[in-house]
Amino acid sequence: AGLDRKWRRRAVDHLHIAGGCEYIDAGCGTGNLCIEILQRLAPGQVTVTGIDHSETMLAKGKAKIAALSAGHSATFILGDATILPCKDSTVDGVISGFVIRNICDRQKALSEWHRVIRPGGRCVILELALPDNPIALMLYKLFTRLLIPAAGGLFSKYHAYAYLTDSIRTFPPPKAFEEMVRTAGFHDISSEKLTLGAVRIYSGTK
């Protein structure tokens, strides 16, 4: 119902966008977070690099940016979110949306993102989560165990939707993941709940 757009806007709020800065979207998909970053300031005042392992998604991201006439401010690179093509301490922030849940070595990813960020820069992670409110959790389980897989089955995507719910269930709880962010070297760690806790935004400063 368009909630994902609100989630992305709030995640970019945590990045503390500033003119003349450069950001990375690790696992950018079709570039929605990149677009949100670029639209915060006038064209040319901020740059963003989107990195993803899917050529198809990158092509769609390039088309979206071109339609905004902001192509000069965005670059899309085929690559791995855990091995960024950047020197140490060269970008002002890294943001990632709905990606780290799908990365096997999450600690490696967090450490890599810390490596490329300049001191004082920000790391922001937008991810799905299990609500901690008992009533919300009950409704969430009903929605994810019954309705989402059933809807996926209508489009022959049952296994993909089943993976979605399983990956959320097995993701580290908030406090454990915050500790992983801290172990990577970040400080001032925060976690914000959205949509009754079904989504969380984790952030930290280098």
Side-chain angles (χ1 to χ4, degrees), residues 104-173:
C104 293
D105 193 341
R106 298 179 183 123
Q107 197 65 64
K108 176 184 176 182
L110 292 169
S111 297
E112 176 70 353
W113 300 348
H114 180 273
R115 178 186 69 80
V116 302
I117 297 173
R118 295 187 179 100
R122 301 275 291 164
C123 180
V124 178
I125 299 162
L126 173 64
E127 192 50 88
L128 300 171
L130 288 174
D132 50 13
N133 178 283
I135 296 176
L137 180 60
M138 180 180 66
L139 295 173
Y140 178 88
K141 287 180 177 179
L142 175 66
F143 183 69
T144 57
R145 290 179 180 177
L146 298 178
L147 300 182
I148 286 183
L154 293 175
F155 301 100
S156 301
K157 300 291 186 182
Y158 176 82
H159 293 295
Y161 281 87
Y163 164 77
L164 171 66
T165 56
D166 288 344
S167 65
I168 297 169
R169 178 176 51 82
T170 58
F171 191 75

Side-chain angles (χ1 to χ4, degrees), residues 39 56 117-118 124 151 179 192 194 205:
Q39 290 181 331
T56 302
I117 297 173
R118 295 187 179 100
V124 178
E179 186 58 34
E192 179 181 359
L194 301 176
T205 302

Side-chain angles (χ1 to χ4, degrees), residues 58-73:
L58 290 174
K60 291 181 179 180
K62 291 176 183 178
K64 287 181 181 180
I65 296 294
L68 296 175
S69 300
H72 61 286
S73 300

Side-chain angles (χ1 to χ4, degrees), residues 88-115:
D88 295 356
S89 303
T90 52
V91 300
D92 298 283
V94 172
I95 191 167
S96 187
F98 313 116
V99 172
I100 200 162
R101 177 173 43 84
N102 305 297
I103 293 176
C104 293
D105 193 341
R106 298 179 183 123
Q107 197 65 64
K108 176 184 176 182
L110 292 169
S111 297
E112 176 70 353
W113 300 348
H114 180 273
R115 178 186 69 80

